[in-house]
Amino acid sequence: MKVFNTMSRKKEDFVPIHEGKVGIYACGPTVYDYFHIGNARPFVVFDVLRRYLEYTGYDVTFVQNFTDIDDKMIARANEEGITVKELGDRFIEEYFKDATALGVRPATVHPRATEHIKEIIDIVQKLIDKGIAYQVGSDVYYDTSKFSGYGKLSGQNLEDLESGARVGVGDDKRSPADFVLWKGQKPGEPAWESPWGMGRPGWHIECSAMSTTYLGEAFDIHCGGQDLIFPHHENEIAQSEGAFGKSFVKYWMHNGFLNVDDQKMSKSLGNFFTVRDILNEYEAEDVRMFLLSAHYRSPLNFSREMIQQAHASLSRLYVARDKLIFLQGHTKGDELLPGEEATVEAINGYVLKFNAGMEDDLNTAEAMGALFELVYLINTDISDKSGKKLVDTALETLLRLADVLGLLMKKPEDSLPEDIQKLVDERKQARLDKNWALSDSLREQIKEKGYLVEDTKSGQKVTKA
Ligand code: AMP
Ligand code: ZN
């Protein structure tokens, strides 16, 4: 597989440090609120990275942290009159609800910053012992002039950074480019004991501590959004390589932004939609499909039309799957029928095309194209005249590829009974024809059969009454 490495600024062959195993660290959310659909992009695309690596046979350890202590956490907990711990517990639970809905599998480990204070202190102490960090009162700073590689990830040099940065009021840093590792306690803030007095970690140090704890001092892939390249990941490198004296991460992968009118979606700009809100309007899988419709490094504009298109495409995927499930019960034979070898060859060709897309720096858009070519083949070349062997092969392939993207997650049992589906389809047509009287009467008929229809932007949402 080739991956674009932010460090070298080019696509490189992916060769893990330990054969057959891959360690991935992804920077996770700060758990002070619901996450927005921009935050969902890295969660979904790196979930696909993990799924693809597993599909190709690697044993993957995927670590994604929760930042559960920082200024925003403290401010929000104060506003709500609860502790930082209570706030963190609450939004970690909410994270799992939304992430699960989006088909994001739980990481192998989800470490919390506040549960790794000891490991954090150990690294800070190591940096002080090596003369790379210095204490000022009860704060500790990283001395960027002591790390010759500072700036290598973001492609900047220290002089530019020094002249570009400003020292804030009350800052006791030696240089504007230095950054805080440990902050002395301010009144009313949560704090932990340390060799420098009561205090709390700076932001960057938690990821050096948690990645090392679960993946070792050197590991394969570190990922996150492009906004994390500087200063967060630059500082992680300085901390980890400074403390452990070895190369920290082999491949750095960063996703592009989810934008609103070409501007990064962010809490601070106020131009965001939480996933929780979006899921009231659209089905979660439609949102997932939309997030995977562009290459992960490209910017992607939030677009309701595109989510609706994703819904239409997914429907085609489900129709193909359900057709094959139906045909499994209506076809026979353990051997291919005459002439079916060519169809199987075509199916295998789409698998190769799918893999080739994914091998090219996780090009999910390409891979999806191959998946839909397979759907087209299923629609045109497979019928009740086919042998069961061919039907089985097509279904197994469709499910396997869709699973790499985390699609087709709704179970066939969730599908509607045939008579209901027929009425729903007729109602769809009636609405397209603007025949509202017929549409209303169909809604009534569906209701009499025990199902409720709701009109959403993704189309009709049908639930059991
Ligand atoms: P945060 O909770 O802000 O630290 O963000 C969690 C993850 O979401 C990080 O990997 C960020 O880089 C990423 N992220 C934040 N905003 C966006 C956005 N608009 N588009 C894509 N990724 C984002
Ligand atoms: Zn991080």
Side-chain angles (χ1 to χ4, degrees), residues 328-353:
Q328 276 188 322
H330 294 78
T331 49
K332 285 202 235 13
D334 297 336
E335 302 292 331
L336 291 175
L337 301 181
E340 287 184 343
E341 282 89 3
T343 315
V344 170
E345 248 172 62
I347 291 173
N348 292 337
Y350 296 135
V351 174
L352 295 179
K353 207 165 167 184

Side-chain angles (χ1 to χ4, degrees), residues 162-385:
E162 279 171 349
S163 60
R166 269 188 290 159
V167 179
V169 181
D171 247 350
D172 298 313
K173 300 194 273 191
R174 287 183 195 156
S175 154
D178 294 354
F179 59 90
V180 71
L181 296 167
W182 187 263
K183 297 181 184 191
Q185 184 180 22
K186 295 210 186 76
E189 287 186 356
W192 289 262
E193 267 177 44
S194 81
W196 320 287
M198 294 298 286
R200 63 182 167 102
W203 170 32
H204 317 296
I205 192 70
E206 68 176 60
C207 287
S208 283
M210 290 185 271
S211 59
T212 307
T213 303
Y214 297 99
L215 299 170
E217 292 170 5
F219 58 93
D220 300 299
I221 301 176
H222 195 315
C223 42
Q226 281 166 357
D227 53 337
L228 299 186
I229 296 173
F230 187 85
H232 187 51
H233 290 163
E234 195 71 66
N235 291 352
E236 277 187 46
I237 295 170
Q239 294 162 162
S240 295
E241 298 194 354
F244 305 121
K246 57 170 87 145
S247 180
F248 176 43
V249 165
K250 203 163 172 196
Y251 305 93
W252 287 91
M253 295 177 74
H254 291 100
N255 65 274
F257 294 139
L258 182 93
N259 292 330
V260 179
D261 298 330
D262 298 314
Q263 234 188 0
K264 181 193 171 199
M265 180 180 284
S266 77
K267 288 256 164 68
S268 54
L269 288 173
N271 61 347
F272 66 92
F273 303 98
T274 63
V275 167
R276 187 60 57 92
D277 284 342
I278 288 289
L279 295 186
N280 286 326
E281 272 184 75
Y282 301 100
E283 285 185 40
E285 211 167 285
D286 302 349
V287 177
R288 182 178 176 100
M289 172 110 173
F290 158 68
L291 290 171
L292 294 174
S293 61
H295 186 263
Y296 76 95
R297 280 190 293 117
S298 310
L300 174 64
N301 257 316
F302 176 76
S303 147
R304 291 173 186 281
E305 292 71 37
M306 277 179 71
I307 301 181
Q308 284 160 30
Q309 274 173 27
H311 178 80
S313 305
L314 265 176
S315 304
R316 281 166 50 214
L317 219 54
Y318 276 103
V319 167
R321 181 198 67 180
D322 293 347
K323 167 179 166 172
L324 293 172
I325 291 174
F326 172 82
L327 287 179
Q328 276 188 322
H330 294 78
T331 49
K332 285 202 235 13
D334 297 336
E335 302 292 331
L336 291 175
L337 301 181
E340 287 184 343
E341 282 89 3
T343 315
V344 170
E345 248 172 62
I347 291 173
N348 292 337
Y350 296 135
V351 174
L352 295 179
K353 207 165 167 184
F354 178 93
N355 293 351
M358 297 297 273
E359 290 284 309
D360 183 14
D361 191 29
L362 208 70
N363 195 334
T364 49
E366 282 274 328
M368 244 180 230
L371 188 61
F372 280 96
E373 287 183 73
L374 174 62
V375 166
Y376 184 78
L377 175 144
I378 293 166
N379 291 339
T380 51
D381 292 3
I382 302 185
S383 70
D384 53 4
K385 312 264 178 325

Side-chain angles (χ1 to χ4, degrees), residues 84-126:
V84 167
K85 165 94 170 64
E86 284 164 340
L87 182 72
D89 287 347
R90 169 166 174 217
F91 283 107
I92 286 174
E93 207 178 309
E94 303 295 358
Y95 165 86
F96 282 117
K97 285 186 199 158
D98 291 339
T100 306
L102 287 175
V104 175
R105 287 169 42 199
T108 318
V109 204
H110 277 285
R112 294 173 69 151
T114 57
E115 289 173 1
H116 294 79
I117 300 293
K118 183 187 171 303
E119 292 87 342
I120 289 171
I121 290 175
D122 285 350
I123 300 182
V124 177
Q125 188 61 54
K126 230 185 201 106

